[in-house]
Amino acid sequence: FEEETGYRILVLSEDPQTLNKSPKELKSMWGLPDPNAVLVLVRPGSGNILAFNYGSGVAKRLPDRFFGELTGRLGNMYNVKDVGEDGVVEETVKILETCLRRDKGCFAVP
C-alpha cells in the first residue's frame, strides 16, 4: 500500500509493552511525525477502541470530520461486540486504504 500510494497506515495496540514507552519513544520507533502517515491507536477495553493521529498530507484527503465519524461508527462498544476488536481494525484499515487511494479522498466514511 505504501509503495503504491505514498501513504502509511500504522496500527498500534495499547498493551503493557507500548504503555511503558513515552510518546517520544513511540514516535521515534514509528518514524513520526510523517505528513503521509495515519496512526491507528487501538485501546482494547475502552468505551471506544479507536483513536487516530495523522499528518498534514493525510488531512488534505481525509478531514477531521472523517476521523470522528470513523471512530464513532466502528470503534464503539456495540460494533466491537458484533465484529470483535480484530474485525474493527481490519475494517478501519480497509476504509483508510480505500479513501487514501481516491484522488480526492473521502469527506465522509463510505
Side-chain angles (χ1 to χ4, degrees):
F1 177 79
E2 182 178 355
E3 288 178 9
E4 174 192 338
T5 64
Y7 292 99
R8 291 193 304 159
I9 299 172
L10 311 166
V11 178
L12 176 64
S13 179
E14 284 188 349
D15 63 26
Q17 183 180 4
T18 58
L19 289 175
N20 291 332
K21 295 191 182 298
S22 72
K24 185 176 182 177
E25 289 173 311
L26 289 172
K27 285 180 179 182
S28 175
M29 180 175 79
W30 288 77
L32 299 173
D34 176 348
N36 291 328
V38 179
L39 176 62
V40 181
L41 178 60
V42 182
R43 301 173 298 184
S46 63
N48 191 309
I49 69 166
L50 294 176
F52 299 94
N53 188 301
Y54 47 94
S56 58
V58 172
K60 291 176 184 175
R61 289 188 182 226
L62 308 175
D64 292 341
R65 179 185 185 285
F66 171 88
F67 287 100
E69 182 181 348
L70 190 58
T71 300
R73 186 186 296 184
L74 297 183
N76 70 71
M77 65 183 176
Y78 303 106
N79 192 49
V80 172
K81 185 177 178 182
D82 288 344
V83 301
E85 291 174 355
D86 290 343
V88 168
V89 173
E90 289 173 13
E91 185 66 17
T92 299
V93 170
K94 181 179 164 185
I95 289 170
L96 289 169
E97 287 178 344
T98 296
C99 288
L100 288 170
R101 279 189 173 105
R102 293 181 180 173
D103 288 338
K104 295 188 180 188
C106 294
F107 181 72
V109 175

